[in-house]
Amino acid sequence: MAAESPLSIADRSACVTAQVRQSRLSLCSTGYRLQSVDSPTSTLVLRFDGQVFTETGSKVEDQQIVVVHAVVGIFKLEQHSYVLAVTDSHLQGTICGKDIYEVSGVCALPLDYDSGKIVFQELLQEQTTTASGDKSTAVPRKSYSTGDVAGLAAAQLENSSRVDMNDDLTGEAGFRWLSPQISWMFRPSKDSLVSGTEDGATGSSTPQTEREGSAVVETSSGVRKTSTSLERMERRVVEEIARVFSTSGMFYAFDYDLTRSLQAKDRQVIDGVSEPLACIADRDYWFNWHIQQPLLTGGGLAWALPLVQGSVQIGRCQISKDDVVQISVVSRRNWRRIGMRYERRGADTNGNVANFVETEQILELESKQESGQHVDVGAHPTHIASFVQTRGSMPFLWTQTGAGLHPAAVVAGTDDSNAATCAQHLQHEISRVGRQVLVSLVEHGGREAAVGTAYAGVVGRCVASEMVDARMVRYVPWDFHHETRGMRYENVQQLVEQLRGEISGMGYYWHAGNAPLTTQHGIFRVNCMDCLDRTNVVQSAIARAVFNEQLVRLGVHAAPELGLAAHPGLEPTLNRLWANNGDYISRQYAGTSAMKGDFTRTGRRNFGGMVNDATYSLARLWINTFRDYFSQAVLDFLVGNHAAAAVFRTLIDLRSREPDQVRQMASARETAVRTSVAIVVRDGERVQLACVVQSPMALDSLKIAAAADSVLILTDAAVYVCSYCDRQQKVSEFLRIGLSVLARVQYGAYITDTRTPQCLDPSRNHGVVLSFALAPDHHSSSPGYEFESSLAATQPFVSSADGEKLHFIA
C-alpha cells in the first residue's frame, strides 16, 4: 500500500492556514493558551477538562508569557494529562532553503491548574533568567543534550567498576551504580511501594484492609501510600518521555516535509509548503502522530507539527572556483515497530520491521550565474539530486534475548507464517519505492547463520510461491565479517563493484529548473543483525559511489577516475556526515554511538577504533540489561501500542511486552467468550453480558490461588462462570447459577495484586461475590444452604482506550 497521510481528502480541504511556527504560552484558570507569534489573532486553547479548540479575534496581551517552539502532543498518564512542548531547539542547517531544527529541550505541562502553575512559573523564571544573561539564579531543571546518552552509559560503567564489594549493598548507595532508571525502586522510604508475598499476603507496609459488605475495602492509609507511589512512578515516566524527545534525535521544520523524500514530494521541491504539515506528512515517519491526535481532531492542525526521529546532517564544500556543493544526509525512522535493540527484532505480523530507517542523501549544487554572482545554495540551488536507501531488521518473525555480549538469535515463526510476513513487508515497500535489492551482511556461519539462512529461505519462498514478483526482488548475501577479516575494510569496495550494475540502473532523483530530469527506480535495502554498524558502512560506500556519479553527470567533476579524492575536503565532509548519521541511529536503537565509526569517518580501520568498539559493546550490554525494558515501554506508549498502565507495570516486572502479545491476548479472550457462550448457554436464554474475569472456580472461597482467566456470562435466566482452556480452546468446567436461587450480590474493591499502585487502587479493582441457595437439582440434602463464589473483575475482552475497568451491575 502507498504511504499513509493522516488526513482524508475532505479533511485536507480544511488546511487553509499556514503552519504555526512559534507560540506564546500563557496560563489561565481554565487551561493554557498558545497564541501564534506570526498571527497573534489565532490562538489554540487547551483546557484542563480536555477540550481542545482554536479561537480567532483580537490579540490578547498576557503579562506572563513563555515562548514555545512547537507543541509535541498531549498524553494522559494515571494522575494527570500533559501538554508536551518544545522549549529549546537549535538550527541544524537548511535544505532547499528551508530551516531544519533539532529538539534539545521539552517540558511536560500538567493539564491541572495547581500542578501546571508550578511548572509554568519554572519555565517563566528560566526564560527570564536566560534573557537577562544571569544564570546564577536559574531554576535547576532536568536537561539533556544530544551527546549525553553514550557518555552517561560509559560513565556509569566506569563508576560500577569502582564499587567496593565490602560496602553495604542493601541501601540506596548499594543500588545507585546499577542505573538511574531503576535505582529509585530500591530507595528506602516511608512511602515505598507495598510489597507482598507470593500468596498475596503483605508485610507491615501493606495497607490495612477490612470487610465492609464488599469483597475487600482499602483504608485511607493505603490509599495515601498508593497515591504517593503512583506520583513517584508517574514522575519517572514523564522524565523518560522528556529524555526521548530531547536526546533521541528529533527533527522538525516549519515549511519542509521531513517525513518524505524529495522524489516523493516532487513539486514541493520548488513550490514549497503553503499548508500545515499535518495535511501532507507521511504518517509512517511522523513520530508524534499518536499524541497529536487531540490537536488533529480539535481543530489545531496549524499547531500539529510532525517530528521525525532520525538524523539530519548538513555540510558544504567548495569543489571548484565556480561551484559549491551542499550535502545533506537525512534519516527518518519508521515508528510502526519502534523499539530498542533486543526488545524489538524482526517483524510483527503486519510486516512492520524493527529499526526501519529511510536515509536520503541530498546534493545541492550552487553554480555561478552569468552575472558573475553566486546563487545562494540555500535559496535556489541550480541542481538538486537525491538518492534514497533503507535499512531494517530481517522481515520475518525472530527474536534475540539480551543475555550476554553475543546472544543467539532464534527463528520464531513457521515457514509459512514467516513467508507471509516477509511478503507483506516487501509488497508494501515495492508499492512505495519500487524494486528491492536486499543486501544482507549477516554471517554465513556461527551465531548469525540460523537467521541469515532463514532470511534467504523466506525470500526464496516468497518468490517461488509468487507472493512477490521475482522481477521486483534481488537477494544479495555478503558476509561482512568474513570479507573484511583482518581489518581489511577496503574490501567493502568489492561489494560496491558487485552492485555497480544495480547502482547505474537504479539511478537517482535529479531536479533542475522547474521539473525533475531523472527519478530513482528501486532501492537498496541493507541489513545486518542490528542494522547499525555494518549497515552504515555499506550504505555510506554505496552513497559515495552514487555521489561520484552525480558529480560526473552534472559536469563538475575535475577527475572522475580519482573519485571524490579529486576535490580536497569533499570526501572527509561526506564521511563525517555519514558517521554522524550512524551515531544518531545507533543511539536511538542501541544506546551508544555506532561501531566501526573510525572507518566511516576516515576510510581506515585502526586499533583505537577497535578499543572504542569494545567499550560500546560493554555499554550496550549494560543498557540492554538495565534500561531498555523501560525505554521500550515508554516508546510503545508514545506511539499508541500500549496504555499508560503497561508502562507502570514495566517498572515492577522489569520487562516490556510486544504489541502483538496484547493483540493476541485480546483476540484469545474474545474467542474464549464466544466459545463459552456457544457451549454453556442454554437454548432460549438471551445473553445480557459476557466478559473475561478471574475466579477461584470453587465454592466458599474468596482467594484466587493462581491468576487464570475465566468467563462470566449473564443471561436473562442465569449466571455462568466458565473455566476456559486457551490451548485446547474449550470449556473445562463451568458453574451455572439460576437467577431464581441467587440470594445476594456483593460488589466492591477486590485487591488481588500488591505490586503496583494501580493494583492497590480500590476504584480500579472490583470484585463480585454471589451468594446463592443450593437448588434441588444439585442433589444436596440441604436445599437452602448458601455457597459463595468470588469473582475478581479484570478488563473486558475488548479493553477501552482510556483504561477503564469493567463494572458489574446486578
Side-chain angles (χ1 to χ4, degrees), residues 373-677:
Q373 298 295 323
H374 279 287
V375 179
D376 183 0
V377 66
H380 301 287
T382 308
H383 296 274
I384 304 171
S386 161
F387 181 72
V388 178
Q389 303 177 75
T390 59
R391 69 176 76 190
S393 194
M394 289 173 279
F396 59 94
L397 307 178
W398 63 280
T399 61
Q400 188 177 22
T401 60
L405 286 173
H406 302 294
V410 178
V411 179
T414 64
D415 290 344
D416 290 339
S417 64
N418 282 333
T421 298
C422 182
Q424 193 171 1
H425 173 75
L426 293 178
Q427 288 167 358
H428 176 263
E429 287 306 300
I430 290 170
S431 67
R432 192 176 71 91
V433 292
R435 185 170 180 266
Q436 301 286 301
V437 180
L438 311 176
V439 182
S440 178
L441 307 176
V442 300
E443 298 171 357
H444 296 167
R447 63 187 178 89
E448 298 180 1
V451 288
T453 302
Y455 186 22
V458 165
V459 174
R461 195 181 185 91
C462 289
V463 172
S465 59
E466 298 183 349
M467 289 187 285
V468 176
D469 189 342
R471 297 169 299 179
M472 301 302 292
V473 176
R474 179 189 173 190
Y475 179 76
V476 181
W478 200 76
D479 188 336
F480 185 98
H481 287 156
H482 175 75
E483 299 293 340
T484 62
R485 64 190 183 279
M487 298 178 64
R488 294 181 298 179
Y489 278 63
E490 64 276 5
N491 288 349
V492 172
Q493 190 60 31
Q494 296 177 6
L495 173 61
V496 175
E497 293 303 321
Q498 181 180 338
L499 299 172
R500 184 67 66 178
E502 294 286 358
I503 293 173
S504 299
M506 192 175 294
Y508 47 85
Y509 177 79
W510 178 15
H511 194 288
N514 294 318
L517 301 181
T518 64
T519 56
Q520 181 175 339
H521 303 282
I523 205 164
F524 288 104
R525 186 195 188 279
V526 187
N527 76 270
C528 51
M529 290 295 286
D530 299 329
C531 305
L532 297 176
D533 315 315
R534 288 171 280 180
T535 295
N536 202 64
V537 169
V538 169
Q539 284 196 334
S540 65
I542 295 173
R544 190 179 298 108
V546 173
F547 188 72
N548 187 69
E549 186 176 312
Q550 289 170 339
L551 291 180
V552 173
R553 188 83 174 269
L554 292 172
V556 296
H557 212 316
E561 67 280 359
L562 298 179
L564 301 184
H567 303 282
L570 184 58
E571 189 167 23
T573 298
L574 188 63
N575 290 346
R576 174 176 54 83
L577 299 181
W578 272 96
N580 291 343
N581 175 76
D583 287 343
Y584 266 79
I585 297 173
S586 181
R587 283 195 290 266
Q588 291 158 10
Y589 190 53
T592 73
S593 296
M595 298 183 188
K596 305 173 179 64
D598 55 324
F599 178 78
T600 308
R601 291 182 187 278
T602 66
R604 300 181 183 87
R605 196 75 165 110
N606 55 55
F607 180 75
M610 296 179 66
V611 173
N612 286 338
D613 288 356
T615 303
Y616 291 150
S617 292
L618 292 174
R620 287 180 179 182
L621 175 62
W622 180 90
I623 291 169
N624 296 155
T625 303
F626 296 116
R627 198 191 76 186
D628 278 357
Y629 66 91
F630 180 54
S631 298
Q632 181 64 58
V634 170
L635 289 173
D636 281 330
F637 166 70
L638 289 173
V639 300
N641 289 336
H642 290 322
V647 183
F648 287 75
R649 187 75 181 186
T650 300
L651 288 170
I652 302 301
D653 57 22
L654 308 183
R655 67 184 181 91
S656 64
R657 291 165 174 80
E658 282 270 9
D660 275 355
Q661 293 177 343
V662 177
R663 288 189 288 266
Q664 290 167 4
M665 179 177 293
S667 177
R669 287 181 167 180
E670 186 174 0
T671 300
V673 171
R674 188 168 50 248
T675 303
S676 298
V677 169

Side-chain angles (χ1 to χ4, degrees), residues 95-96 98 255-257 260-275 280 360 379-381 384 386 509-519:
I95 300 178
C96 298
K98 311 303 181 183
D255 49 5
Y256 183 88
D257 183 9
R260 296 182 295 159
S261 67
L262 290 178
Q263 181 166 316
K265 289 192 284 280
D266 198 17
R267 282 301 308 172
Q268 289 176 3
V269 175
I270 296 300
D271 298 340
V273 177
S274 59
E275 56 189 340
I280 59 176
E360 180 181 19
H380 301 287
I384 304 171
S386 161
Y509 177 79
W510 178 15
H511 194 288
N514 294 318
L517 301 181
T518 64
T519 56

Side-chain angles (χ1 to χ4, degrees), residues 168-480:
D168 179 14
L169 298 182
T170 59
E172 179 179 357
F175 289 101
R176 186 179 297 145
W177 67 276
L178 287 175
S179 165
Q181 279 77 20
I182 66 172
S183 60
W184 66 271
M185 295 173 56
F186 300 95
R187 295 172 188 165
S189 171
K190 63 180 181 180
D191 295 322
S192 60
L193 290 177
V194 176
S195 59
T197 58
E198 289 184 1
D199 61 1
T202 58
S204 59
S205 60
T206 306
Q208 297 179 352
T209 60
E210 56 184 346
R211 297 289 303 278
E212 292 184 2
S214 62
V216 177
V217 178
E218 197 170 84
T219 59
S220 59
S221 62
V223 175
R224 186 168 57 254
K225 288 179 180 290
T226 298
S227 177
T228 304
S229 300
L230 191 60
E231 181 179 347
R232 188 169 66 246
M233 295 175 75
E234 180 151 315
R235 185 167 59 248
R236 176 69 191 91
V237 174
V238 172
E239 288 177 356
E240 178 65 15
I241 291 174
R243 188 194 69 82
V244 168
F245 281 98
S246 55
T247 72
S248 296
M250 296 290 176
F251 297 87
Y252 68 91
F254 294 113
D255 49 5
Y256 183 88
D257 183 9
L258 281 172
T259 67
R260 296 182 295 159
S261 67
L262 290 178
Q263 181 166 316
K265 289 192 284 280
D266 198 17
R267 282 301 308 172
Q268 289 176 3
V269 175
I270 296 300
D271 298 340
V273 177
S274 59
E275 56 189 340
L277 291 170
C279 300
I280 59 176
D282 184 347
R283 189 185 303 177
D284 287 347
Y285 299 98
W286 180 351
F287 184 87
N288 56 327
W289 176 81
H290 176 71
I291 61 175
Q292 286 203 331
Q293 291 309 295
L295 299 181
L296 298 177
T297 58
L301 284 174
W303 280 266
L305 184 66
L307 299 185
V308 170
Q309 186 184 44
S311 172
V312 176
Q313 303 297 320
I314 302 172
R316 288 172 61 102
C317 186
Q318 183 93 28
I319 61 175
S320 70
K321 180 181 178 181
D322 296 328
D323 300 308
V324 175
V325 167
Q326 175 171 297
I327 314 165
S328 304
V329 178
V330 179
S331 285
R332 47 190 74 94
R333 194 177 185 202
N334 189 303
W335 60 263
R336 296 290 181 179
R337 188 163 168 75
I338 196 75
M340 308 305 296
R341 189 186 182 202
Y342 288 127
E343 298 292 331
R344 292 294 177 268
R345 292 294 212 192
D348 62 19
T349 54
N350 294 320
N352 302 306
V353 301
N355 200 27
F356 190 78
V357 181
E358 180 181 277
T359 301
E360 180 181 19
Q361 179 177 276
I362 302 172
L363 178 154
E364 298 178 60
L365 175 65
E366 168 192 329
S367 294
K368 181 180 288 188
Q369 293 181 317
E370 295 179 359
S371 62
Q373 298 295 323
H374 279 287
V375 179
D376 183 0
V377 66
H380 301 287
T382 308
H383 296 274
I384 304 171
S386 161
F387 181 72
V388 178
Q389 303 177 75
T390 59
R391 69 176 76 190
S393 194
M394 289 173 279
F396 59 94
L397 307 178
W398 63 280
T399 61
Q400 188 177 22
T401 60
L405 286 173
H406 302 294
V410 178
V411 179
T414 64
D415 290 344
D416 290 339
S417 64
N418 282 333
T421 298
C422 182
Q424 193 171 1
H425 173 75
L426 293 178
Q427 288 167 358
H428 176 263
E429 287 306 300
I430 290 170
S431 67
R432 192 176 71 91
V433 292
R435 185 170 180 266
Q436 301 286 301
V437 180
L438 311 176
V439 182
S440 178
L441 307 176
V442 300
E443 298 171 357
H444 296 167
R447 63 187 178 89
E448 298 180 1
V451 288
T453 302
Y455 186 22
V458 165
V459 174
R461 195 181 185 91
C462 289
V463 172
S465 59
E466 298 183 349
M467 289 187 285
V468 176
D469 189 342
R471 297 169 299 179
M472 301 302 292
V473 176
R474 179 189 173 190
Y475 179 76
V476 181
W478 200 76
D479 188 336
F480 185 98

